[in-house]
Amino acid sequence: MSVRSRKTLITAVALTGGLTLAAVTPALAGARANHSTRAAAVSSAQGDPRNVSQHVADFYGAYIDAVWSTDDRSAGDAAKALRAFYLSTAAQKKVAAFEKKEHADGILFAQNVPVKWKVTYTGSGAGHATSRVTLTWGDGPHAEVSRIDVQSDLKTLKITDLKSVR
């Protein structure tokens, strides 16, 4: 590799790294006015787009981020787009009917937004898998917890049903 090619490659890598850092730093550093920011000492995430429970976890993570961001004008559109992408048409209709009747979010089965969520695979059969979504509504030893069973189609990975577990 020539000296000029090496310089071009190094410049491109440095520029890309700098632009990435410039784009990410404000988001990581800026605390919101109406939400507290939590930083983890060690954070790691991974995923697999073929895994049905991971697909549910991806949906809930992105959906909660969108509805949590009340100060972002694009959040409402993002939440609608996530529903359209992750939920089957029948599930979208069922969620809309729940919301009309209960005046609450049909994905979270609540009027507010949880601070934590966890998704666990609970089984499969007849072409569907079920994942249990556990939502935590606060911090501390007395935080309220709710659970939702989410059924997904194994072929399309679309969420086909959501049921609040009492």
Side-chain angles (χ1 to χ4, degrees):
M1 181 181 283
S2 72
V3 173
R4 183 179 177 140
S5 295
R6 254 185 269 161
K7 282 184 178 181
T8 303
L9 178 62
I10 291 170
T11 302
V13 169
L15 183 59
T16 302
L19 290 173
T20 301
L21 185 59
V24 171
T25 300
L28 295 175
R32 299 159 109 98
N34 61 346
H35 300 296
S36 63
T37 302
R38 296 181 158 273
V42 177
S43 182
S44 176
Q46 66 181 31
D48 182 343
R50 301 165 296 182
N51 181 297
V52 68
S53 290
Q54 179 69 52
H55 203 66
V56 171
D58 290 345
F59 168 65
Y60 269 88
Y63 185 80
I64 290 169
D65 285 349
V67 296
W68 180 268
S69 300
T70 56
D71 57 342
D72 184 339
R73 289 183 180 182
S74 67
D77 291 337
K80 287 179 188 175
L82 288 165
R83 287 177 177 213
F85 180 74
Y86 282 95
L87 274 66
S88 68
T89 303
Q92 290 176 55
K93 289 178 182 176
K94 184 175 179 180
V95 166
F98 173 89
E99 291 176 340
K100 184 176 182 180
K101 180 181 177 190
E102 301 294 333
H103 304 287
D105 188 298
I107 301 297
L108 304 173
F109 292 93
Q111 293 179 333
N112 54 357
V113 184
V115 297
K116 297 176 188 168
W117 54 269
K118 178 175 119 176
V119 176
T120 307
Y121 171 79
T122 58
S124 60
H128 287 86
T130 304
S131 301
R132 168 82 40 100
V133 178
T134 303
L135 304 174
T136 304
W137 304 88
D139 292 312
H142 303 293
E144 187 177 334
V145 173
S146 64
R147 291 172 184 81
I148 302 167
D149 281 345
V150 177
Q151 184 180 43
S152 301
D153 182 278
L154 287 171
K155 185 176 181 183
T156 65
L157 301 182
K158 294 274 189 185
I159 294 170
T160 57
D161 197 18
L162 301 100
K163 292 179 185 170
S164 179
V165 179
R166 301 283 171 189

